[in-house]
Amino acid sequence: MALFTGRKHGRTASRAVVAAIAAALVATTAGTAVADGAASAKDAAAEARQHVKPKAKDQQRSAPYASGFGATNESFELMAVDGDGFLYNYPSNGQGGFGERWFNTYGWTSISEATQYDNDKDGRADGFYVKSTDGHLIYKNYDTGTRDLGAGWNTYDRVFTPGDLGGAPNDDLLARDKGGVLWLYTAKGDGSFTNPVKLGAGWGAMTKIAGRGDMNGDGKADIIAVDNAGTGWLYPGTGNWAAPFGNRVKLGGGWNTYNTLVGIGDLDNDGQADLVGRDASGGLWFYSGTGTTNGAPFKDRVKVGTGWNGMRLMF
């Protein structure tokens, strides 16, 4: 299959049909819908569907299912929300790019952030967290349903999970508050968290914080952060919830080329965690992971699409 360009597939009529269907669904549920942002965010999250083939019942966790390509690392489908609040899934093509997108659901206009997680460590996403525009955090599990974890999350301007940071089985949450302080929420199995741990100040200097899984080959989840000058930094994970990151490693300049960085695991089937970035013109770039600790966690970037500037959220 050819690499997906990121442009909207189908004719204008197809988009109109989807919009009409969405409008009809909204009309039929108007009696139960609530104008409150948290309620609509929870409803929208509840409607999202899982796309990847379910894991076979006899498949062992030691052999993760990774978007159907058999990699030994996590590999999630890229999920993206356009300006109309339509949610789409983009399956990996196993070569760093994406195949044909599919329409997932609608109504995501009240959602400001989203991040996928894999708590059972089978290599595929179990669901996601979303933050509503009024500050509620919603937990979605494809098997067990959707929960509102409460309000107050608008204290944070960045909320995402790079994986298991604290050494427990579940994926933990990083949250940066508006004063530039980074906090760790260690996750429980039901989607809730222990009390947050303050990791340090000064993170307001970072324009982007992203990552998913082990990017330096030591088996621990890492993150990438980009400072105001456009310098990229790798923060290696330690597996210790009290001090989850070791000394940072400088990756070089030019990272402010991207307005979005997304980590969704291994996208080219080599067992290493990768990264994708969207530039200001809507171009999508793929960084294949090397799994090394020598300060070069990625190979040279490869352009894998255009037209992605129509997406309000990518996760």
Side-chain angles (χ1 to χ4, degrees):
M1 179 183 293
L3 293 181
F4 175 51
T5 65
R7 293 191 178 95
K8 297 177 181 178
H9 285 269
R11 304 285 185 243
T12 304
S14 298
R15 178 60 176 274
V17 169
V18 173
I21 293 172
L25 289 171
V26 170
T28 60
T29 58
T32 59
V34 181
D36 176 75
S40 60
K42 183 179 178 182
D43 291 344
E47 290 297 322
R49 299 161 291 153
Q50 190 177 33
H51 182 227
V52 295
K53 184 178 68 175
K55 184 178 65 173
K57 291 182 179 180
D58 59 349
Q59 186 177 0
Q60 302 299 311
R61 288 187 181 181
S62 59
Y65 179 86
S67 286
F69 292 101
T72 57
N73 208 347
E74 290 178 324
S75 184
F76 299 167
E77 293 186 351
L78 178 63
M79 302 179 78
V81 181
D82 69 14
D84 295 323
F86 290 0
L87 174 67
Y88 296 92
N89 283 42
Y90 297 83
S92 168
N93 64 7
Q95 302 171 37
F98 300 95
E100 293 285 341
R101 74 179 186 181
W102 67 282
F103 171 72
N104 193 323
T105 189
Y106 67 96
W108 279 55
T109 53
S110 61
I111 292 171
S112 59
E113 286 194 274
T115 183
Q116 301 185 71
Y117 67 87
D118 174 22
N119 282 347
D120 64 8
K121 299 299 178 282
D122 66 352
R124 63 192 177 106
D126 300 333
F128 49 79
Y129 294 92
V130 297
K131 186 179 77 174
S132 70
T133 52
D134 69 351
H136 283 246
L137 189 70
I138 310 298
Y139 168 76
K140 163 76 173 188
N141 183 282
Y142 292 122
D143 294 325
T144 63
T146 308
R147 295 177 55 201
D148 187 337
L149 300 180
W153 289 84
N154 271 352
T155 302
Y156 303 110
D157 61 12
R158 181 73 175 110
V159 176
F160 85 108
T161 172
D164 170 22
L165 293 174
N170 304 302
D171 286 354
D172 305 314
L173 208 65
L174 286 176
R176 181 183 63 185
D177 67 30
K178 294 179 181 179
V181 177
L182 194 66
W183 300 83
L184 172 65
Y185 284 81
T186 303
K188 301 178 182 179
D190 63 355
S192 62
F193 306 99
T194 60
N195 291 330
V197 175
K198 185 178 180 178
L199 301 184
W203 289 84
M206 299 299 176
T207 61
K208 285 165 284 293
I209 309 173
R212 178 72 212 180
D214 174 24
M215 290 182 280
N216 67 356
D218 65 357
K220 306 290 194 287
D222 313 310
I223 63 172
I224 299 290
V226 179
D227 64 26
N228 287 319
T231 302
W233 301 88
L234 171 70
Y235 287 80
T238 65
N240 177 5
W241 64 267
F245 301 113
N247 294 329
R248 68 181 187 176
V249 178
K250 188 175 183 178
L251 303 181
W255 286 84
N256 269 351
T257 298
Y258 305 109
N259 53 35
T260 300
L261 291 176
V262 185
I264 51 175
D266 177 20
L267 298 177
D268 59 359
N269 256 6
D270 64 357
Q272 310 299 332
D274 308 316
L275 198 70
V276 293
R278 181 185 64 185
D279 64 28
S281 65
L284 197 68
W285 298 85
F286 170 65
Y287 285 83
S288 178
T290 63
T292 62
T293 58
N294 63 1
F298 304 112
K299 301 175 185 176
D300 291 343
R301 67 177 189 170
V302 177
K303 193 171 188 178
V304 293
T306 58
W308 287 83
N309 45 7
M311 294 301 173
R312 184 175 62 84
L313 295 178
M314 297 171 62
F315 64 99

